[in-house]
Amino acid sequence: MTLHESSTTSILKKNKKVLIASLTGSAIEWFDYFLYGTAAALVFNKIFFPMVDPVIGLILSWLSFSLTFFIRPIGGVVFAHIGDRIGRKKTLVLTLSLMGGATVAIGLLPTYEMIGLWAPALLITLRIVQGMGIGGEWGGALLLAYEYAPEKRKGFFGSIPGVTIGMLMATFIVSLVTLFSEEQFLSWGWRIPFLLSSVLVLIGLWIRKDIDETPEFKQVKQSGQVAKAPLRDTLKYHWREVLIAAGLKVVETAPFYIFSTFVVSYATTTLSYQKSQALEAVTLGALVATVMIPLMGLLSDRIGRQKMYTLSVVLLGLFIVPWFLLLDTRSTWGIALATVIAFGILWAPVTAVLGTLCSEIFSANVRYTGITLGYQLGAALAGGTAPLIATGLLAKYDGDWIPVAWYLAGTVVISLIAIFCASRLKQAPGARCYKAIRCRQPIHPAGSSRRMLTAMQQSQHTNIAFCSLFEGSQDSDK
């Protein structure tokens, strides 16, 4: 074996390990996240909020779930700052530990009958901790894969389907424990999935412990370009990119919660489907999406991220009305086909390229902060509110789905505007970085020594080279 072949084999092994580490950690964190959502619907209203009317208890339980949408941006800012300052790897260890620790603690919580109001208070506190962890995880897991990826495989590496895998894991394990009797499930059965999370977290940490820092962050450190205040720099020099990333997120997050969450309540209450029909359709859609996401990421490396995103969003928009018409058949095949096409086939390419698209519009020294701000801003505005808005529109218009269809069409328009702006702004970040650095270079004092002048020139050349490297990373769609 030649030296070149040996080096290539070593790189491929490292890339494979990084991909597994990114996928495993992301799936575990989303498993913890969706596990809470499932438990909120089945058990938390009965054991943590029994002091109120059952309907009010369920609402309080769901509100504790929705709380993280507003906590996630805070966690994202905190951990993105750490990630852009000390590195991606250490940050991911923190987020996984935080999320996993909070999940296990929920499984150990005393109920309302045991400690009264302290029980719901502690539950909400731990949910806030979960929100902090998940807020920093997505950006770090994405960048771990993206910044290690070969230049022609960034779309594939950036398309890790952690969300759908975590969703499937949570659904599967909760389905198993619901086989217990009602009394057993409410007494101790519901705790099992939360406690088992500790095993998954230890596996995730073990896989991540041997991963080195990403090559691009190493280059940032070596060039002396580590941002001292990533949030300030991002908002000052990259605020347009943050807004674009949030806009790109809108059509990925709102339809996700409509196709995977709202559809269950809409189908069972308005259209008289059995709950099992709706849940099985969503599970089937998630399975298809899990397979489609990496395939679409791989395809995006061939045809370009922006083309795939734009085409997928347009097709998703065109399928909104057929989705409702298929649901209106009130048949098992209708809801299954609607969910598989919308969730499994059309949504999958949008989420597959979203992370890579966002990564490519930020420079490496503020990339963690930039993509996290945009992602969590879009999620907070369009994700957590989507089922509430859709439910409110149905109630206001007596079950008519047309206003909900217009709402979904609005998310499509917002994201199409965002992708248009992304294409126009594609080369701008690198250009602005170059100009900003040149403007910030100190004027050489008259009495400067030759050594000092040489050091200043070397610093300027390093800065310009760093920005040139960033601009070169923007050419993925060429």
Side-chain angles (χ1 to χ4, degrees), residues 208-220:
R208 284 183 173 179
K209 73 180 177 65
D210 294 328
I211 301 298
D212 199 5
E213 189 53 75
T214 68
E216 291 193 31
F217 186 76
K218 285 182 178 179
Q219 289 179 347
V220 171

Side-chain angles (χ1 to χ4, degrees), residues 176-393:
L176 289 181
V177 298
T178 53
L179 296 177
F180 295 126
S181 67
E182 179 77 5
E183 183 181 353
Q184 290 174 325
F185 179 68
L186 290 177
S187 177
W188 52 267
W190 69 270
R191 299 180 185 273
I192 295 175
F194 288 89
L195 298 178
L196 283 178
S197 178
S198 61
V199 179
L200 297 176
V201 169
L202 290 174
I203 292 173
L205 291 173
W206 177 73
I207 291 174
R208 284 183 173 179
K209 73 180 177 65
D210 294 328
I211 301 298
D212 199 5
E213 189 53 75
T214 68
E216 291 193 31
F217 186 76
K218 285 182 178 179
Q219 289 179 347
V220 171
K221 291 185 71 174
Q222 290 170 0
S223 63
Q225 293 296 325
V226 175
K228 293 182 179 179
L231 179 61
R232 182 198 62 194
D233 290 352
T234 301
L235 295 178
K236 185 174 182 179
Y237 300 112
H238 299 277
W239 60 270
R240 294 179 182 85
E241 288 87 340
V242 170
L243 293 178
I244 288 172
L248 294 173
K249 174 66 177 173
V250 166
V251 81
E252 187 264 356
T253 191
F256 171 79
Y257 286 100
I258 295 296
F259 298 149
S260 66
T261 303
F262 166 78
V263 67
V264 176
S265 61
Y266 173 63
T268 54
T269 57
T270 304
L271 302 179
S272 302
Y273 280 94
Q274 295 295 318
K275 184 175 288 187
S276 60
Q277 290 176 298
L279 292 175
E280 288 167 6
V282 172
T283 301
L284 183 59
L287 280 170
V288 174
T290 301
V291 176
M292 287 288 291
I293 288 170
L295 292 178
M296 293 299 99
L298 193 62
L299 182 60
S300 74
D301 285 319
R302 292 180 174 271
I303 68 174
R305 253 76 74 188
Q306 292 187 6
K307 291 177 183 177
M308 173 167 283
Y309 181 92
T310 304
L311 178 61
S312 301
V313 171
V314 170
L315 291 176
L316 186 64
L318 293 175
F319 189 69
I320 293 171
V321 171
W323 183 72
F324 281 104
L325 293 177
L326 283 170
L327 293 179
D328 280 346
T329 63
R330 304 185 186 221
S331 60
T332 301
W333 69 265
I335 190 172
L337 186 61
T339 306
V340 167
I341 294 176
F343 185 21
I345 296 176
L346 298 180
W347 174 82
V350 177
T351 196
V353 300
L354 176 67
T356 310
L357 264 177
C358 292
S359 298
E360 289 172 341
I361 62 176
F362 292 99
S363 55
N365 64 333
V366 294
R367 185 175 289 147
Y368 202 148
T369 302
I371 64 171
T372 300
L373 273 178
Y375 180 92
Q376 299 301 350
L377 178 63
L381 296 177
T385 58
L388 295 175
I389 291 174
T391 302
L393 289 172

